[in-house]
Amino acid sequence: MKIKNICCIGAGYVGGPTMSVLALKNPNIKVTVVDINQDRINSWNDENLGDLPIYEPGLEEIVNEARGRNLFFSTDVEKAIDEAEMIFISVNTPTKTYGKGKGMAADLKYIELCARQIAKVATTDKIVVEKSTLPVRTAQAIKDILDNTGNGVKFQILSNPEFLAEGTAVQDLLTPDRVLIGGEESEEGTIAMNSLVEIYATWIPKENILTTNVWSSELSKLVANAFLAQRVSSINAISELCEVTGADVGEVSRAIGMDSRIGPKFLKASVGFGGSCFQKDILNLVYIAKTYGLNEVADYWEQVIIMNDYQKRRFADNIVSTLYNTVSGKKITFLGWAFKKDTNDTRESAAIYVADALMNEQAEIIVYDPKVSEKRIYEDLDYLGSRSPEENRRLLKVVKDPYIASEEAHAIAILTEWDEFIEYDWKKIYDSVVKPAFVFDGRKLLDAELMSKIGFDYSSIGISKTQNK
Ligand code: NAD
Ligand code: UDX
């Protein structure tokens, strides 16, 4: 079955870039991305490409080429559903903040709303594609809703989880390691899967497009994120051991990464992983395991989160103890707020939790991030609910120039690995800060030897301090 018209519900970090690339590579398919958030849609339609709602290297060029040709952004959800033969659901699936499974399970209310809306509107057969990350067996729930509330038309449900990482979304979409498609094991299921395979095959080699049953596909996404996060927590656990023994975590990573069975990627020690996916998806996995009574399995994976929380706390504690056990009234400059470089996304960023811990100690935080807005930073803090919005604005200020941000600082903390931080005139910064000039590098980004030579008291995740000197 040749697809001519696609609708994607959810114009976020996944829906926007994914559909832009799909439209770019399939000029004969009309792709409409819909969202209930009018501001977001307005930004996607903005003439000024610098104002797209998401910053991703290379995305502006793609939107510029496809938008208005066969790529459209709209708030008319019903019209887009009605016209499409294939509907991607790419809405958010955050951790539940209420009721049963609070703080662990995925909140599926937005998914269910989409399913109900599709059922209500559809007057022709549809292929519904789960693009959002979902607990294993969600396709069953979606099918139940569609079959029981629809207008008698036929639905096929596919699972097609997205593996892009933020900051490299365009590259990941253009040359993915693999595309995963799960479908029903029936003739209709195979036809539906093949129609999606054909769309991807316009730019991805067929051997990289895997087809499986729906449950394996849904579960694989959670497992992929759990394995990736586990590597970060594993190396972060070792970083503390390096700090007390004189080993250098970078050298340990390099040494173990050259073992082809381990591999070199995802072994960078850090202040802790962030992002909208890792924590949410592991908690979801833990919850599913618990639901089936698999307590040892649940505990095993939960430890990845426990280690990550510890790493963030440890970073903040180290700042306080190094600054003579008090940071009250001291100015601490944060370089970076995003959860990783090359994105303006801050969801679950380690910076939020480190700032919160230091503000509890009455530190004064000055933040500079090349891409994150002041509004976003305050929203992140207010969301925690640790103190009043007024207090957050009193204790934390956002500055647009890194050199001004650093003036008179008692310490500089690096929270995101933005490339530009390496290029700064660190001698100039040294001259403008309070002495002793402390730098806490949460990303192992700067040259320890150079920093010490300039005169900084430099400490980095995973390197013992005496080793720098
Ligand atoms: P997001 O919050 O950026 O975007 C979701 C969008 O869906 C929002 O704009 C919201 O307004 C819209 N929406 C919600 N309910 C709607 C409805 N009923 N009708 C129309 N629009 C609706 O989320 P995201 O980061 O794009 O993530 C989406 C899904 O993809 C999640 O399940 C996530 O786990 C998964 N995922 C995310 C990433 C990532 O890097 N962000 C990577 C892989 C998978
Ligand atoms: C992740 C998965 O990589 C991606 O496949 C999935 O689709 C969504 O979740 P993302 O969260 O966007 O992507 O970024 P990722 O590059 O995985 O980084 C996540 C966090 O781990 C960041 O805070 C990053 O700084 C941290 N990290 C990553 C480390 O601390 N060390 C590493 O070696 C790698």
Side-chain angles (χ1 to χ4, degrees):
M1 179 183 165
K2 264 221 150 357
I3 302 294
K4 294 212 165 47
N5 204 316
I6 285 178
C7 160
C8 173
I9 309 178
Y13 282 86
V14 169
T18 309
M19 290 301 129
S20 298
V21 170
L22 195 149
L24 179 82
K25 297 292 184 180
N26 289 276
N28 298 327
I29 300 180
K30 181 182 175 193
V31 179
T32 308
V33 190
V34 292
D35 205 294
I36 40 179
N37 182 335
Q38 181 75 56
D39 287 348
R40 228 173 198 185
I41 292 299
N42 290 348
S43 303
W44 280 113
N45 283 325
D46 205 302
E47 284 297 307
N48 181 2
L49 289 162
D51 287 340
L52 292 183
I54 287 161
Y55 170 71
E56 279 293 339
L59 183 60
E60 288 172 19
E61 291 82 345
I62 291 175
V63 171
N64 193 32
E65 192 170 334
R67 195 175 61 185
R69 178 188 74 183
N70 65 322
L71 173 67
F72 303 92
F73 295 93
S74 162
T75 49
D76 196 342
V77 181
E78 300 205 340
K79 177 162 178 276
I81 291 175
D82 186 31
E83 287 176 358
E85 297 119 18
M86 182 177 271
I87 301 160
F88 287 77
I89 302 182
S90 186
V91 301
N92 36 329
T93 49
T95 305
K96 263 186 101 175
T97 52
Y98 56 89
K100 193 159 173 249
K102 176 180 172 178
M104 293 218 112
D107 192 341
L108 298 180
K109 72 175 168 209
Y110 306 109
I111 296 287
E112 180 166 344
L113 280 172
C114 288
R116 288 190 185 277
Q117 194 164 18
I118 294 169
K120 188 181 95 187
V121 173
T123 50
T124 51
D125 296 353
K126 310 278 182 205
I127 299 170
V128 175
V129 185
E130 299 174 342
K131 187 50 117 176
S132 298
T133 303
L134 297 169
V136 54
R137 298 205 74 86
T138 304
Q140 186 62 54
I142 295 180
K143 189 152 179 48
D144 276 354
I145 293 168
L146 291 174
D147 288 349
N148 288 306
T149 61
N151 305 310
V153 299
K154 290 207 181 90
F155 295 102
Q156 271 298 318
I157 321 289
L158 300 178
S159 159
N160 172 222
E162 183 49 57
F163 295 100
L164 69 80
E166 289 178 27
T168 53
V170 169
Q171 210 42 53
D172 295 342
L173 288 164
L174 289 173
T175 53
D177 288 348
R178 73 335 200 162
V179 165
L180 180 60
I181 301 171
E184 190 182 282
E185 290 163 304
S186 65
E187 201 186 325
E188 292 86 351
T190 307
I191 292 170
M193 276 198 275
N194 285 343
S195 60
L196 186 52
V197 168
E198 290 313 316
I199 293 170
Y200 282 115
T202 54
W203 81 97
I204 295 162
K206 276 227 168 118
E207 59 272 22
N208 292 358
I209 306 176
L210 304 183
T211 50
T212 66
N213 78 32
V214 187
W215 320 127
S216 306
S217 172
E218 287 178 335
L219 187 58
S220 296
K221 174 62 198 177
L222 294 182
V223 174
N225 273 350
F227 268 61
L228 289 168
Q230 182 197 39
R231 275 173 81 94
V232 179
S233 276
S234 297
I235 201 69
N236 280 345
I238 298 304
S239 72
E240 188 172 24
L241 199 53
C242 289
E243 288 163 31
V244 295
T245 55
D248 177 334
V249 76
E251 289 175 6
V252 174
S253 293
R254 192 152 63 100
I256 65 166
M258 281 175 76
D259 185 324
S260 61
R261 293 167 302 175
I262 295 175
K265 293 181 181 168
F266 254 74
L267 287 178
K268 277 207 197 85
S270 66
V271 53
F273 61 73
S276 65
C277 293
F278 281 177
Q279 172 159 314
K280 163 177 83 70
D281 293 347
I282 294 178
L283 288 171
N284 189 355
L285 190 67
V286 169
Y287 183 74
I288 294 168
K290 280 191 176 154
T291 310
Y292 287 100
L294 311 180
N295 292 327
E296 286 75 8
V297 176
D299 291 349
Y300 177 78
W301 288 107
E302 193 165 16
Q303 197 59 36
V304 174
I305 304 280
I306 293 171
M307 188 65 224
N308 195 50
D309 287 340
Y310 173 65
Q311 189 76 348
K312 292 180 268 186
R313 208 166 55 238
R314 189 167 85 75
F315 187 75
D317 288 350
N318 183 36
I319 295 179
V320 177
S321 62
T322 307
L323 296 187
Y324 316 107
N325 288 317
T326 175
V327 289
S328 176
K330 288 183 183 168
K331 180 169 157 182
I332 301 176
T333 301
F334 273 32
L335 293 182
W337 189 266
F339 80 98
K340 63 186 276 196
K341 72 171 179 180
D342 293 339
T343 178
N344 60 351
D345 195 350
T346 65
R347 291 177 287 181
E348 292 300 330
S349 179
I352 303 168
Y353 298 94
V354 175
D356 188 52
L358 294 173
M359 286 158 81
N360 283 343
E361 295 291 333
Q362 299 180 349
E364 194 190 310
I365 311 288
I366 312 292
V367 182
Y368 166 78
D369 187 287
K371 287 286 175 206
V372 180
S373 69
E374 176 176 304
K375 181 168 171 276
R376 179 76 257 157
I377 292 172
Y378 286 131
E379 279 169 5
D380 289 338
L381 283 171
D382 293 345
Y383 183 77
L384 289 184
S386 303
R387 59 194 73 73
S388 68
E390 295 71 37
E391 193 69 352
N392 281 333
R393 282 150 190 75
R394 188 179 72 78
L395 286 172
L396 184 142
K397 302 269 184 273
V398 181
V399 171
K400 288 209 162 65
D401 179 292
Y403 295 100
I404 295 173
S406 308
E407 278 169 13
E408 302 290 326
H410 286 81
I412 294 174
I414 295 175
L415 275 303
T416 313
E417 74 282 22
W418 287 102
D419 291 336
E420 65 172 66
F421 299 165
I422 304 171
E423 308 300 328
Y424 286 172
D425 181 346
W426 283 98
K427 175 76 179 76
K428 178 174 163 184
I429 293 176
Y430 177 80
D431 289 340
S432 75
V433 300
V434 173
K435 310 297 178 313
F438 292 105
V439 170
F440 298 89
D441 188 343
R443 295 289 182 166
K444 213 172 178 298
L445 187 69
L446 303 177
D447 182 336
E449 211 176 304
L450 181 75
M451 294 300 281
S452 301
K453 212 187 269 166
I454 292 173
F456 284 106
D457 188 310
Y458 173 82
S459 45
S460 169
I461 289 285
I463 321 181
S464 77
K465 245 170 110 174
T466 46
Q467 213 184 321
N468 303 332
K469 292 187 176 151

